[in-house]
Amino acid sequence: MNIRIRDIFRILRLKVPVLRSLKVYIFVLMLIIGILPCIILRISILSNYEQRAVSLRQSDMMNQYRIIADHLVNYNYLQDTSSDVINAELEQMSTLYDGRVLVINGNFKVIKDTYSISEGKFMISEEVIRCFKGESTARYDDNNGYIEMTIPISEQIEVDGTKLSAVRGVILASVSTDSIVATMDILNRTALIMQIIMGILMVGIVIFISRMLLRPFNRITEAVREVKDGFTDEPLSVPDYLETEHIVEAFNELLGRMKVIDDSRKDFVSNVSHELKTPMTSIKVLADSLNQQPDVPVELYQEFMQDITEEIERENRIINDLLQLVKMDKTQAQMKVEAVDINALLESTLKRLRPIAKKQDVEIVLECIRPVTAEVDGVKISQIFTNLVENAVKYNKEHGWVKVLLDADHQFFTVEITDSGIGISEEDQKHIFERFYRVDKSHSREIGGTGLGLAITRNAVLLHRGSIKVSSVEGEGTCFTVKIPLTYLK
Ligand code: ADP
């Protein structure tokens, strides 16, 4: 049952958006807090009044009838009901309290009824019997609006020198509580009117307060919209509450991050355009100079065509590297993870690169401390090794060397690629992983660099949740250390 009500409430909240509004919650809550005590107060005051009025009336009547009961004994009324004094007294009481009085003798026979209906009849009710035992009773019937009470008519007798009271008869009196009910009606109506006025006032106040309380949140929404619409990209400030401050802080952080991403995107686009344009310009210059000369010697023609081919190759390399970088930027879903023999992978990579190294008179040495098998994307890891070893060869000196060292512990495998090359200054070390960053642009271009190799390498390492570090001394050499977890962590 509980679950069903909760489900209904959940569906309602989904279907009726107003039920999810904080403003509505605050409104309802404050209204309940404001109006509920008024209602409780009204009900408790009225019921208190009723109890008090009834008990006052009861004790008042009880006293009066006790006096009359004494008179009844004195006038011997139970034997002879002809006493005008007593009859007048009973009638007076009946009229005064807008009720009925019955006098019952020891045989349970009604000897006097102020309504003259039950005289001569017998009255054996529980209350009467209890009263004959000496106990006065009083009962309030709020449904029918009367109080009924029994008062014993007792006589003092002396038995063996001790005074006792003997119940000779019973007065059964009922009295209407219409006057109490009428007073209560008036009180109730007045309280209700007051409550309605209070309720209306309360609704106004609550609407005002709930609006005021939520104003900072509206301000956040407006400010965020302004940022979204591009009117401003200034950090927001809504310090009204701690909560709004936290939301705004988080939003400003997000805004800052988005700005960085946007700036880097802009940089990237402008770099890409520039890099792609350079070979194109060279091609155009070469082609134009060929076209402008009427009789180009075949040798010059061949030389220029060779240059044009090289520029096209360069353009091709940049495009390939860019495509690779974009692919790496995508999510983990692109990873083809499998158990890879890292030693074998390194050996085959180096085998491919050795001829190039030989051309530059650079020797490549591989040292494997232990056999390593890791859960990795083989193609991406091979790309990492290729880029790093290629760089170590490219930026080396004559008769230089490249040392590749593979080691592992129980969690990671580490590959260190050390070269005897030109080294990288400390300042440049901070930037070499950025896209299109090259320490010496013309040298890098000469040897076919695109400035994207290390950016691709870093992305591939991060996709494996690994790390890459560089340490270098200018003029002496460089060491790149790649650390990759043996088991792939999603
Ligand atoms: P590139 O395509 O120009 O080689 P990379 O992103 O691979 O681009 O490298 C960025 C720059 O870092 C290179 O231009 C080069 O100046 C420097 N660099 C990279 N590896 C080495 C190395 N082993 N020794 C010296 N400089 C290096």
Side-chain angles (χ1 to χ4, degrees):
M1 184 65 183
N2 239 349
I3 291 166
R4 225 183 293 154
I5 289 171
R6 212 182 302 150
D7 284 349
I8 291 169
F9 192 62
R10 195 165 46 83
I11 293 165
L12 257 176
R13 270 166 57 92
L14 285 176
K15 297 262 180 231
V16 189
V18 140
L19 290 182
R20 273 180 286 141
S21 159
L22 189 57
K23 206 184 278 179
V24 171
Y25 273 114
I26 293 179
F27 176 79
V28 173
L29 207 73
M30 287 181 68
L31 212 62
I32 291 172
I33 292 171
I35 288 182
L36 208 64
C38 288
I39 296 174
I40 294 171
L41 208 69
R42 177 171 67 90
I43 294 170
S44 70
I45 286 177
L46 284 176
S47 89
N48 244 326
Y49 168 79
E50 188 182 16
Q51 275 174 18
R52 179 127 187 81
V54 167
S55 88
L56 263 174
R57 177 72 53 94
Q58 275 174 358
S59 67
D60 194 22
M61 276 175 59
M62 196 62 92
N63 289 339
Q64 301 268 3
Y65 281 112
R66 282 219 174 98
I67 296 165
I68 292 175
D70 286 345
H71 290 181
L72 291 181
V73 175
N74 294 344
Y75 281 83
N76 207 16
Y77 190 79
L78 291 174
Q79 274 73 44
D80 177 11
T81 58
S82 62
S83 163
D84 288 341
V85 180
I86 298 295
N87 282 336
E89 213 170 346
L90 289 173
E91 291 298 339
Q92 194 190 357
M93 283 297 284
S94 172
T95 336
L96 188 67
Y97 288 113
D98 185 16
R100 184 179 179 187
V101 184
L102 274 74
V103 179
I104 300 157
N105 69 9
N107 302 323
F108 295 94
K109 192 175 175 187
V110 179
I111 54 168
K112 173 72 184 169
D113 177 1
T114 50
Y115 281 13
S116 310
I117 300 168
S118 304
E119 276 171 14
K121 290 182 185 163
F122 290 93
M123 173 67 71
I124 314 170
S125 69
E126 194 198 325
E127 281 87 2
V128 172
I129 295 167
R130 269 165 58 198
C131 194
F132 267 111
K133 288 178 184 161
E135 184 189 338
S136 303
T137 65
R139 182 171 62 88
Y140 172 45
D141 184 338
D142 56 348
N143 284 334
N144 299 310
Y146 69 87
I147 301 168
E148 191 183 77
M149 51 189 7
T150 55
I151 305 97
I153 305 165
S154 320
E155 199 181 351
Q156 297 289 327
I157 51 167
E158 226 181 270
V159 180
D160 300 335
T162 42
K163 278 190 178 173
L164 291 173
S165 104
V167 181
R168 300 290 183 216
V170 167
I171 298 175
L172 179 66
S174 62
V175 55
S176 161
T177 52
D178 283 354
S179 62
I180 297 174
V181 173
T183 316
M184 272 189 34
D185 272 353
I186 294 167
L187 274 177
N188 197 8
R189 219 168 302 142
T190 318
L192 208 66
I193 291 168
M194 292 286 288
Q195 210 171 306
I196 290 169
I197 295 170
M198 284 270 293
I200 293 169
L201 266 174
M202 206 67 186
V203 169
I205 293 168
V206 165
I207 288 177
F208 175 73
I209 292 178
S210 66
R211 276 210 185 139
M212 215 178 66
L213 284 178
L214 291 178
R215 205 169 288 157
F217 290 94
N218 295 341
R219 232 176 302 141
I220 293 180
T221 315
E222 273 166 32
V224 170
R225 278 212 184 110
E226 272 186 16
V227 173
K228 187 201 85 186
D229 294 341
F231 295 132
T232 174
D233 54 2
E234 287 297 304
L236 311 186
S237 164
V238 184
D240 304 54
Y241 306 128
L242 263 182
E243 288 77 3
T244 54
E245 213 172 276
H246 290 161
I247 295 174
V248 163
E249 264 169 27
F251 180 77
N252 285 341
E253 272 166 31
L254 179 71
L255 200 67
R257 223 179 100 71
M258 303 257 287
K259 249 194 219 168
V260 170
I261 292 173
D262 195 43
D263 287 350
S264 106
R265 187 184 55 83
K266 280 182 195 153
D267 278 359
F268 183 57
V269 170
S270 93
N271 282 340
V272 167
S273 325
H274 176 77
E275 295 295 330
L276 290 178
K277 230 176 123 188
T278 317
M280 284 298 199
T281 316
S282 307
I283 293 169
K284 186 159 172 15
V285 170
L286 289 165
D288 279 352
S289 61
L290 278 181
N291 284 337
Q292 277 155 17
Q293 294 176 42
D295 299 311
V296 187
V298 177
E299 294 77 34
L300 190 72
Y301 189 80
Q302 277 175 341
E303 192 192 324
F304 275 32
M305 280 314 276
Q306 181 59 38
D307 290 348
I308 289 176
T309 312
E310 272 170 23
E311 288 302 327
I312 291 172
E313 263 171 23
R314 203 177 130 60
E315 182 92 16
N316 214 13
R317 262 201 311 275
I318 297 174
I319 291 171
N320 281 342
D321 275 3
L322 276 173
L323 284 175
Q324 208 144 31
L325 195 65
V326 171
K327 252 195 244 164
M328 296 274 187
D329 268 348
K330 287 192 183 162
T331 49
Q332 313 283 100
Q334 304 283 321
M335 299 281 281
K336 280 198 194 106
V337 178
E338 56 195 347
V340 175
D341 178 346
I342 302 295
N343 306 58
L345 188 69
L346 261 178
E347 265 160 32
S348 71
T349 309
L350 297 188
K351 197 174 165 196
R352 243 185 321 110
L353 294 173
R354 269 199 185 102
I356 307 167
K358 207 171 179 188
K359 255 194 223 166
Q360 287 176 240
D361 196 16
V362 173
E363 192 194 356
I364 303 178
V365 188
L366 170 65
E367 189 185 341
C368 296
I369 306 282
R370 66 193 80 241
V372 178
T373 306
E375 276 177 32
V376 289
D377 182 327
V379 177
K380 291 191 174 71
I381 293 289
S382 159
Q383 184 78 53
I384 297 171
F385 299 157
T386 309
N387 285 355
L388 293 176
V389 177
E390 233 173 23
N391 278 352
V393 173
K394 274 194 309 192
Y395 302 102
N396 220 311
K397 293 176 195 157
E398 243 180 274
H399 314 301
W401 50 261
V402 175
K403 211 193 272 172
V404 181
L405 179 73
L406 169 67
D407 196 3
D409 57 22
H410 61 288
Q411 258 186 314
F412 298 93
F413 72 88
T414 324
V415 179
E416 265 179 32
I417 295 145
T418 319
D419 64 56
S420 58
I422 55 172
I424 310 164
S425 73
E426 274 198 24
E427 186 50 40
D428 287 322
Q429 283 176 33
K430 290 180 201 155
H431 302 288
I432 49 170
F433 294 104
E434 290 168 14
R435 292 173 294 198
F436 295 116
Y437 188 86
R438 280 162 291 188
V439 176
D440 179 349
K441 263 191 190 268
S442 58
H443 178 54
S444 163
R445 193 167 290 148
E446 232 170 68
I447 54 179
T450 60
L452 294 170
L454 284 182
I456 294 171
T457 306
R458 185 171 169 272
N459 276 5
V461 170
L462 292 184
L463 279 177
H464 287 89
R465 302 213 180 276
S467 67
I468 180 164
K469 280 191 193 122
V470 61
S471 66
S472 179
V473 178
E474 259 185 296
E476 280 185 24
T478 308
C479 175
F480 282 93
T481 310
V482 175
K483 203 169 168 188
I484 307 267
L486 290 171
T487 35
Y488 180 66
L489 307 163
K490 274 199 176 159

